[in-house]
Amino acid sequence: MTHKYEALLQDLKQRLFEIYDLNGIASLLHWDQTTYMPPAATQARARHISLISRLAHERLVDPEIGKLLDALRPYEESLPYDHDDAALIRVTRKDYERATRVPSSFLAEFLAHQARTYDVWTKARPANDFSMVAPYLEKTLEYSRQLANFFPGYEHIADPLIDFSDEGMKVSILRPLFAQLREALVPLVKAISAKTPPDDRFLYRYYPEPDQLRFGLDVIRAFGFDFERGRQDKTHHPFMIRLSLYDVRITTRVKEHDLSEAMFSTFHESGHGMYEQGINPDYEGTPLAGGTSSGVHESQSRTWENYVGRSRPFWEHFFPKLQSIFPEQLADVDVEAFYRAVNKVQPSLIRTDADEVTYNLHVIIRFELELALLEGTLSVRELPDAWRAKYREYLGVEPPDDKDGVLQDVHWYGGHIGGAFQGYTLGNIIAAQFFEKALEEHPEIPDEIRQGRFDTLHGWLREQVYQHGRKYTPRELIRRVTGQDLTLEPYLRYLRRKYGELYQLDLDNE
Ligand code: ZN
């Protein structure tokens, strides 16, 4: 590298480090807001966060960054695609272009609208009154279309919105993929619903909070979550947040009459956390330090929550430990009954409570409705009825009210319409592709899990996925790891094998 490029790159990196640190500070404020902050601090905290976020945004859209990126282009083009500097320049350019295309006046207006809409939604949901928030949602739809139109040249108006969180994924890829998944899931759910469900009532006995938390922490320590660089605290809605690669925090919530709640949310968030903790430390302070997409991120949380945490080998090891913590509550339960209970499939109304099989149908419903709204084939006024119709058709259940129907998720009411949901189902699909590949290369993984050992799986994921951060787009990463593009087959194989056995179904396998 010549001196000229070295100096330019240094300049760029210094600027990026400040942006990264400002974002880290905003994350700390946000983490505190949702964990320990006293309630009266709400308004002041909103000011703090918006000030820091504005400073970070101003630094990112600084024309000097654009000039540096232009000047570095010849250097970038002289490097192999997977060189770290090339990736740094490429990903920074993507972020810069995305940030500069949206006028700050529009952004400020839309964010203010989102804050008002969120506020109305927090009242409309308990009041079960969609009409309160409908005019706001109409405006949100309008803003969402405008936002997409700052990125002209798209095939489908949802594509730019999807690209924000799942780069390179498009309606032309996702619509047929999700339709294929829906066509496989609807009959599977019907077949399962015709069977006697396992008895899971013992999961709702009294399980004291400290013991629940202790068990969850023991498990994720065994998974390989690094407590030197992370911690877990309590909150209302569990999440993972990175302040730096040396401080990755997760949160959970505990229900003393629902053993699954804290346990599986802890496994889930630890997967997000281990992804961030596993990123190449050289990327600290750059846009490469982060998960590459919401779908790939979700694939990692689902791997540890479901592929590991709801597997039979896992419970063969951990059930005796759980039983020793809760000897009375689980006295009449054996490992097989426990395994069946935590894999109970039951069509329900609430996405976040859904099991592994029905979960994707909740997501597909939202994805299809988002597209129809953006396309203009569905109006906001028609949305509640369309929601009920799809629940009836895909899941065989119908919400009795809008509170547990169209008003249940915050996404549309606190953000934009389009691109908000696909990542959850992409995560399940990608997790299956990665996990199948890991088992192919390391057939010993299930036996290790049976012994409470996770280092082979964790090491493989770190090597194949975590370390790269945002260096590769999701499609590039999937291709590198599996040698294939995004495909549904491993996921369908996994579901049919697992639930075919659990529910003794007669499935035509493939
Ligand atoms: Zn997640």
Side-chain angles (χ1 to χ4, degrees):
M1 180 168 29
T2 66
H3 283 308
K4 180 185 146 201
Y5 290 133
E6 204 170 316
L8 291 170
L9 193 63
Q10 258 336 94
D11 188 357
L12 181 67
K13 281 186 174 173
Q14 259 169 28
R15 289 164 187 272
L16 293 174
F17 222 121
E18 284 191 7
I19 297 168
Y20 180 86
D21 281 346
L22 284 167
N23 286 324
I25 293 165
S27 296
L28 176 59
L29 292 172
H30 178 80
W31 169 83
D32 176 69
Q33 180 181 38
T34 54
T35 49
Y36 297 105
M37 187 188 81
T42 310
Q43 285 195 353
R45 181 53 50 89
R47 286 200 313 273
H48 299 157
I49 292 176
S50 104
L51 173 62
I52 299 286
S53 305
R54 182 164 57 77
L55 293 177
H57 184 76
E58 281 170 6
R59 276 171 160 73
L60 177 60
V61 299
D62 184 343
E64 282 305 314
I65 299 241
K67 284 184 199 153
L68 285 167
L69 290 170
D70 285 343
L72 281 163
R73 201 183 280 275
Y75 172 58
E76 177 193 3
E77 284 168 356
S78 74
L79 299 171
Y81 185 83
D82 61 358
H83 190 285
D84 280 351
D85 287 349
L88 171 72
I89 298 166
R90 184 169 68 236
V91 172
T92 304
R93 183 176 293 114
K94 176 95 192 173
D95 288 354
Y96 176 75
E97 283 175 359
R98 196 178 270 159
T100 49
R101 276 203 191 187
V102 183
S104 345
S105 56
F106 171 85
L107 195 64
E109 215 181 283
F110 191 13
L111 288 176
H113 169 74
Q114 286 174 10
R116 280 194 300 272
T117 308
Y118 175 79
D119 198 47
V120 175
W121 172 74
T122 59
K123 296 174 184 85
R125 189 174 181 219
N128 186 32
D129 188 355
F130 179 72
S131 71
M132 269 172 80
V133 78
Y136 292 86
L137 203 58
E138 274 164 10
K139 192 90 187 125
T140 301
L141 181 58
E142 210 33 63
Y143 276 122
S144 303
R145 289 204 185 101
Q146 286 181 43
L147 181 60
N149 284 325
F150 290 122
F151 303 85
Y154 52 73
E155 287 170 21
H156 188 285
I157 189 162
D159 287 351
L161 306 169
I162 292 170
D163 196 76
F164 291 151
S165 46
D166 290 290
E167 187 181 346
M169 298 295 172
K170 301 190 284 188
V171 172
S172 61
I173 298 170
L174 296 177
R175 185 138 50 189
L177 187 79
F178 286 4
Q180 194 195 343
L181 178 58
R182 188 191 68 217
E183 279 157 28
L185 287 178
V186 170
L188 183 62
V189 171
K190 278 215 174 82
I192 292 174
S193 301
K195 301 279 182 168
T196 317
D199 186 353
D200 66 347
R201 281 173 302 178
F202 55 81
L203 294 174
Y204 303 95
R205 289 171 180 162
Y206 175 65
Y207 296 91
E209 175 173 313
D211 297 330
Q212 286 200 44
L213 287 172
R214 181 158 59 92
F215 178 74
L217 292 172
D218 284 349
V219 171
I220 66 171
R221 190 171 284 114
F223 284 170
F225 183 86
D226 181 355
F227 284 92
E228 286 294 311
R229 295 187 295 146
R231 51 180 290 130
Q232 177 178 263
D233 296 88
K234 287 200 303 165
T235 189
H236 289 294
H237 298 280
F239 63 91
M240 180 281 304
I241 198 160
R242 165 178 40 84
L243 315 184
S244 76
L245 292 180
Y246 300 89
D247 190 350
V248 175
R249 304 187 183 194
I250 59 174
T251 59
T252 190
R253 66 178 159 201
V254 183
K255 292 183 182 163
E256 293 196 310
H257 283 279
D258 182 352
L259 182 60
S260 301
E261 180 74 31
M263 185 163 73
F264 289 110
S265 94
T266 297
F267 300 173
H268 180 100
E269 299 307 331
S270 82
H272 285 304
M274 289 187 288
Y275 184 5
E276 300 274 339
Q277 289 179 337
I279 292 170
N280 183 345
D282 292 346
Y283 296 170
E284 175 79 333
T286 78
L288 298 178
T292 191
S293 70
S294 76
V296 173
H297 233 302
E298 202 61 17
S299 80
Q300 293 318 298
S301 54
R302 297 284 163 181
T303 296
W304 294 96
E305 177 192 357
N306 291 334
Y307 291 76
V308 175
R310 286 184 212 266
S311 73
R312 193 179 261 121
F314 175 86
W315 285 111
E316 284 173 9
H317 180 78
F318 278 103
F319 184 70
K321 299 192 182 315
L322 188 68
Q323 217 173 16
S324 71
I325 297 177
F326 301 112
E328 282 162 36
Q329 295 90 328
L330 295 172
D332 56 347
V333 183
D334 64 16
V335 60
E336 189 60 22
F338 193 83
Y339 171 65
R340 287 176 182 275
V342 296
N343 285 294
K344 181 178 176 178
V345 175
Q346 191 166 48
S348 66
L349 299 174
I350 307 294
R351 175 182 62 85
T352 52
D353 296 341
D355 57 80
E356 234 183 325
V357 182
T358 59
Y359 187 89
N360 299 294
L361 292 170
H362 292 265
V363 173
I364 290 169
I365 288 171
R366 287 151 178 79
F367 181 74
E368 291 179 352
L369 292 172
E370 280 190 329
L371 295 191
L373 286 168
L374 286 164
E375 287 164 357
T377 53
L378 177 73
S379 73
V380 166
R381 299 278 158 188
E382 296 164 327
L383 186 59
D385 280 337
W387 182 285
R388 277 188 283 275
K390 283 201 187 284
Y391 265 79
R392 209 164 40 231
E393 190 186 342
Y394 300 166
L395 283 154
V397 293
E398 191 176 318
D401 52 32
D402 291 334
K403 182 169 163 289
D404 288 337
V406 71
L407 287 170
Q408 75 177 258
D409 294 301
V410 63
H411 304 60
W412 294 336
Y413 306 99
H416 50 79
I417 294 175
F421 290 101
Q422 76 285 330
Y424 298 114
T425 281
L426 278 172
N428 288 328
I429 297 170
I430 297 168
Q433 284 191 262
F434 287 172
F435 198 67
E436 192 171 83
K437 190 73 187 172
L439 292 184
E440 194 185 301
E441 290 181 11
H442 296 282
E444 71 277 20
I445 285 175
D447 278 331
E448 292 186 358
I449 293 177
R450 196 172 282 114
Q451 295 156 34
R453 287 174 41 218
F454 305 94
D455 34 324
T456 302
L457 177 62
H458 190 166
W460 187 88
L461 289 168
R462 198 167 42 226
E463 178 71 28
Q464 298 288 331
V465 182
Y466 300 171
Q467 62 156 327
H468 300 304
R470 290 179 67 201
K471 182 173 188 170
Y472 302 110
T473 67
R475 294 174 73 184
E476 289 165 356
L477 187 70
I478 293 165
R479 184 149 264 293
R480 278 179 62 93
V481 175
T482 68
Q484 280 195 304
D485 284 321
L486 183 68
T487 167
L488 205 49
E489 299 316 318
Y491 187 46
L492 293 181
R493 270 198 287 278
Y494 162 79
L495 287 178
R496 286 180 176 141
R497 192 171 303 141
K498 177 171 175 179
Y499 291 93
E501 188 264 331
L502 268 167
Y503 282 88
Q504 292 158 337
L505 305 174
D506 226 356
L507 298 172
D508 307 332
N509 246 318
E510 283 111 292

